[in-house]
């Protein structure tokens, strides 16, 4: 139970860290947006004082071009950083952190393989994460259900994992699931699979 609580605490700390990074990025974006708004107001003031329209147009176009360069450059940098971080976290078996890095991104063709690898492992890892949450809340039936669903998803996605060369990662998550089933619920792998293969939902429950 202490290990589960510790794992949950670490996960919460990671989420807090990610939230701080997100807030920091948003603050930078807001600062740039304010600068653009100030430039726009300045141009409007120049227009109201009847400064040469042609000159004002040139200045506006100039600032617009700067704004486009800043926005595009920031977007490209942010995307590249997220992909780089996702790959780093995945390589050190931090699958949830890798998933958080790519969540919400519009993935480019050259990064689709990394995306598929992360998502394939996360199909199983998400169930292990759910187990930690439910166990931390003391809801053992749902905690066990999450572990069993994790084993089901492993069977479903292992072939795809082999094709993507992440079967060892998926095996690692499965091993963690079996360890929890054995130590917390005193069940063997065979007993767990028998429950999964129940003839009806009522029998499973």
């Amino acid at each position: 139970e202490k290990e589960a609580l510790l794992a949950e605490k670490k996960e919460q700390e990671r989420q807090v860290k990610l939230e701080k990074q997100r807030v920091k990025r948003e603050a930078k974006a807001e600062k740039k947006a304010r600068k653009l708004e100030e430039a726009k107001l300045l141009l409007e003031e120049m227009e109201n004082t009847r400064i040469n329209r042609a000159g004002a147009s040139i200045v506006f176009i100039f600032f617009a071009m700067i704004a486009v360069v800043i926005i595009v450059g920031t977007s490209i940098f942010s995307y590249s950083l997220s992909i780089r971080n996702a790959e780093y976290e995945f390589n050190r078996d931090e699958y949830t952190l890798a998933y958080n890095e790519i969540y919400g991104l519009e993935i480019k063709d050259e990064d689709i393989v990394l995306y598929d690898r992360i998502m394939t492992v996360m199909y199983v890892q998400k169930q292990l994460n759910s187990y930690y949450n439910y166990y931390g809340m003391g809801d053992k039936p749902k905690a066990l259900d999450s572990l069993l669903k994790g084993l089901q998803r492993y069977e479903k996605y292992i072939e795809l994992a082999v094709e993507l060369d992440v079967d060892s990662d998926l095996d690692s998550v499965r091993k963690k699931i079996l360890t929890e089933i054995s130590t917390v619920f005193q069940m063997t792998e065979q007993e767990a699979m028998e429950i999964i293969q129940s003839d009806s939902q009522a029998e499973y429950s």
Side-chain angles (χ1 to χ4, degrees):
E1 183 175 358
K2 288 181 179 178
E3 291 177 354
L5 291 173
L6 182 59
E8 182 180 9
K9 183 179 179 182
K10 287 183 178 179
E11 179 64 23
Q12 289 175 347
E13 290 175 349
R14 290 172 185 160
Q15 293 298 330
V16 169
K17 183 178 178 181
L18 290 172
E19 180 63 18
K20 287 182 178 179
Q21 292 175 348
R22 185 186 65 80
V23 170
K24 188 175 181 180
R25 288 196 298 265
E26 289 181 352
K28 288 183 178 180
E30 289 176 359
K31 186 176 180 180
K32 291 176 182 176
R34 283 198 301 270
K35 288 184 178 180
L36 292 176
E37 185 63 24
E38 288 172 0
K40 182 179 178 181
L41 292 174
L42 178 61
L43 290 176
E44 290 178 353
E45 183 179 349
M46 291 169 64
E47 178 67 20
N48 291 334
T49 53
R50 299 190 181 281
I51 291 178
N52 184 278
R53 291 178 180 272
S57 298
I58 292 173
V59 173
F60 179 79
I61 292 173
F62 175 73
F63 276 107
M65 290 175 64
I66 292 177
V68 170
V69 170
I70 291 174
I71 292 172
V72 172
T74 301
S75 177
I76 293 174
F77 175 77
S78 177
Y79 175 86
S80 299
L81 182 62
S82 295
I83 291 296
R84 195 159 56 244
N85 288 342
E87 187 172 16
Y88 170 76
E89 297 295 355
F90 187 83
N91 288 336
R92 67 190 193 99
D93 301 337
E94 293 290 349
Y95 308 117
T96 302
L97 292 180
Y99 171 77
N100 289 336
E101 288 290 344
I102 64 169
Y103 180 77
L105 291 181
E106 188 173 342
I107 303 299
K108 298 178 181 179
D109 291 341
E110 60 264 29
D111 300 314
I112 198 67
V113 173
L114 174 64
Y115 174 82
D116 288 341
R117 286 175 174 173
I118 294 173
M119 294 302 295
T120 299
V121 177
M122 279 304 297
Y123 286 133
V124 181
Q125 179 66 42
K126 274 188 175 182
Q127 293 303 317
L128 184 59
N129 293 347
S130 294
Y131 158 75
Y132 289 134
N133 291 332
Y134 283 126
Y135 190 84
M137 293 186 293
D139 193 337
K140 289 188 176 181
K142 288 185 178 179
L144 176 58
D145 178 55
S146 296
L147 294 175
L148 296 177
K149 285 180 178 178
L151 291 180
Q152 281 181 306
R153 290 192 175 188
Y154 171 87
E155 298 297 330
K156 182 177 181 180
Y157 292 106
I158 185 59
E159 290 185 8
L160 176 60
V162 171
E163 292 180 10
L164 294 170
D165 194 28
V166 291
D167 49 305
S168 61
D169 297 280
L170 214 62
D171 287 339
S172 175
V173 179
R174 182 177 185 271
K175 185 177 180 180
K176 292 178 183 178
I177 290 174
L178 291 175
T179 298
E180 296 298 326
I181 287 177
S182 174
T183 57
V184 178
F185 298 98
Q186 290 79 50
M187 292 170 55
T188 65
E189 178 182 349
Q190 182 179 353
E191 289 172 332
M193 295 306 296
E194 287 176 357
I195 294 176
I196 290 173
Q197 295 167 1
S198 300
D199 293 331
S200 65
Q201 183 62 39
E203 182 182 349
Y204 174 86
S205 299

